Amino acid sequence: MTDCGCDELDCDTKQTLMPIDEALDLLLDKATLIKKTKTCPLNQAQGRILAHDLSSTIMVPPSDNSAMDGYAVSTADLSADTQTQLPISQRIPAGKMGTALKPGTAARIFTGAPIPPGADAVVMQEVCTVIEGENGRSDVQINGSVVQGQNIRKAAEDINTGDTILHAGTKLKPQDIGLAASVGIAKVKVYKRLRVGIFFTGDELREPGETLGPGQIYNSNRYTLRGMLEKLGCDIVDLGIVEDTLQATKAAITEAASKTDLVMSSGGVSVGEEDYVRIALEQLGQLDLWRINVKPGKPLAFGQITTSKGQIPFLGMPGNPVSVFATFSIFARPFILRKQGASETRANSFMVPADFTWHKPGKRHEYVRTRIENGKLKLFPHQGSGVLTSTSWANGLALIPANNTVNSGDLLNFIPFSELLN
Ligand code: AMP
Ligand code: MG
């Protein structure tokens, strides 16, 4: 039997399939950085990839300050085991500087206010009693034990002057933006958005909103792929549906490559008579990678398109909707992240016990659609690569290694979708 390159059947192939890790290494190796950067205001930087290290020119906090509403005291003025009564000599709200603490007195102080010189502890107000005296004089009686440094946040305990707070390659999360703001940075240099050209091969495809004729199906891949690219912050040039001819496929690849940094397609990557993507790529440039030891997603046509502006990478994904989802998650995502300049490209995974059995060992490593319920993995009952319901139902992909069976309780490597779709 010859290999059909298909994704659904376990062909009795004579050709070797590339191991997943080798394919990933090859992809990452070919993922040259786009390099173009832009400066953007902090409030537009979320999800963008930082193009330079950020360092601080200030200390955070800028000075020793109170972690509590209470009373700033000098511990030298307090008796060890009896209550101490001290006159209140000043009031320091946040945003105001106090004056040096008069010996034998306490300063009323609020959270975030600078500790006055001479004070070495703050007593929280909950363990203090205020005693009103005559002529507006008030004393505070301290009831708890107090140690030096208590409730004082030290200057620079978070960030010191000159510290690098974020490294180039960081995909900026809300907390990173907050961190940059905490040192007063208003603008950051980020990599420009990757422009991705996409098209969808298949004479059977129609768009949602149109009426299906006999033998036709809706172009669901367009919507899955667009959504995943948007999650990665890509700009999309969408050429829509392309008919199953070599000429149309080549024209789509050429047009997309002239406008973008990366071209992606779905369908037409096997070796059927209606599959033109791989041939088109070979004629327009070179094919670097085609067959991977993975299910779904065995045929993944990766290569380079030769254009007047240089080599533009091409990723031809399989046509089956689940294959698109899985191939994007496992292969396209790290490739795109690396091209965008991200230092972190791999999704975190962890081991979770299976709550199912799998008795038919597969010839390829298989990413199955699973869902964590009560700490265990449930398996979607229909794992066909056309069953998109499985991806909607699942909350992650679990890896079943080739030639393996799974018994209930066996630990499987699980990648949550929250890791893949961010
Ligand atoms: P192909 O690789 O072109 O042979 O396609 C494999 C399977 O995926 C076939 O059943 C196609 O009808 C289906 N398919 C291809 N492209 C799409 C698409 N854009 N949306 C939904 N299904 C598709
Ligand atoms: Mg097709």
Side-chain angles (χ1 to χ4, degrees), residues 201-202 204 244 267-268 275:
T201 71
E204 73 278 34
D244 284 320
D275 295 319

Side-chain angles (χ1 to χ4, degrees), residues 19-320:
I20 296 174
D21 282 345
E22 211 177 295
L24 264 172
D25 286 347
L26 184 148
L27 280 166
L28 290 180
D29 194 47
K30 298 268 181 183
T32 48
L33 180 66
I34 44 170
K35 289 201 186 93
K36 290 171 273 183
T37 61
K38 66 171 264 186
T39 300
C40 82
L42 211 48
N43 60 10
Q44 289 169 23
Q46 179 159 300
R48 306 299 297 265
I49 293 165
L50 196 59
H52 58 155
D53 287 355
L54 289 187
S55 56
S56 177
T57 55
I58 61 166
M59 295 192 295
V60 180
S63 60
D64 290 1
N65 69 93
S66 179
M68 292 279 177
D69 288 350
Y71 296 87
V73 295
S74 165
T75 48
D77 291 334
L78 306 180
S79 54
D81 19 59
T82 52
Q83 295 170 333
T84 311
Q85 187 169 333
L86 299 171
I88 301 169
S89 54
Q90 59 177 315
R91 186 175 187 278
I92 317 170
K96 292 279 183 297
M97 296 299 291
T99 54
L101 186 69
K102 273 194 225 143
T105 73
R108 177 69 169 129
I109 196 162
F110 297 87
T111 307
I115 303 294
D120 62 2
V122 171
V123 192
M124 64 196 278
Q125 63 190 20
E126 288 81 350
V127 297
C128 297
T129 315
V130 176
I131 301 157
E132 302 294 346
E134 287 172 9
N135 304 329
R137 178 195 147 128
S138 304
D139 285 3
V140 58
Q141 182 180 292
I142 291 157
N143 303 316
S145 64
V146 181
V147 291
Q148 246 184 16
Q150 182 173 308
N151 297 324
I152 292 179
R153 301 189 288 213
K154 298 299 285 176
E157 73 175 19
D158 183 4
I159 300 163
N160 212 338
T161 309
D163 281 356
T164 300
I165 55 161
L166 290 166
H167 287 97
T170 303
K171 186 165 189 183
L172 294 166
K173 306 179 292 294
Q175 59 269 43
D176 300 325
I177 308 232
L179 184 64
S182 78
V183 302
I185 289 172
K187 289 176 185 168
V188 288
K189 201 159 78 170
V190 296
Y191 289 109
K192 282 203 165 167
R193 292 185 191 282
L194 194 71
R195 278 173 79 78
V196 184
I198 57 176
F199 66 89
F200 306 88
T201 71
D203 291 345
E204 73 278 34
L205 302 178
R206 288 291 171 276
E207 288 301 326
E210 294 175 4
T211 306
L212 288 185
Q216 296 180 335
I217 60 166
Y218 286 117
N219 181 7
S220 59
N221 288 348
R222 183 182 198 185
Y223 298 84
T224 311
L225 181 59
R226 285 189 67 117
M228 293 179 105
L229 288 169
E230 277 165 19
K231 286 262 179 191
L232 288 182
C234 298
D235 276 342
I236 298 168
V237 176
D238 189 346
L239 302 188
I241 297 166
V242 169
E243 69 180 44
D244 284 320
T245 64
L246 181 59
Q247 196 189 12
T249 309
K250 282 172 78 173
I253 294 178
T254 306
E255 184 188 344
S258 70
K259 296 176 176 166
T260 60
D261 308 305
L262 164 68
V263 181
M264 295 181 78
S265 67
S266 85
V269 278
S270 300
V271 290
E273 282 153 37
E274 299 288 331
D275 295 319
Y276 295 103
V277 170
R278 194 175 51 87
I279 305 163
L281 178 60
E282 281 171 335
Q283 292 187 8
L284 294 171
Q286 74 186 55
L287 181 73
D288 294 325
L289 165 69
W290 182 41
R291 297 154 42 75
I292 306 172
N293 187 13
V294 65
K295 185 179 176 183
K298 179 172 67 172
L300 177 69
F302 173 71
Q304 315 296 325
I305 309 155
T306 307
T307 74
S308 56
K309 54 176 182 172
Q311 305 274 77
I312 300 293
F314 175 84
L315 263 169
M317 296 186 297
N320 279 306

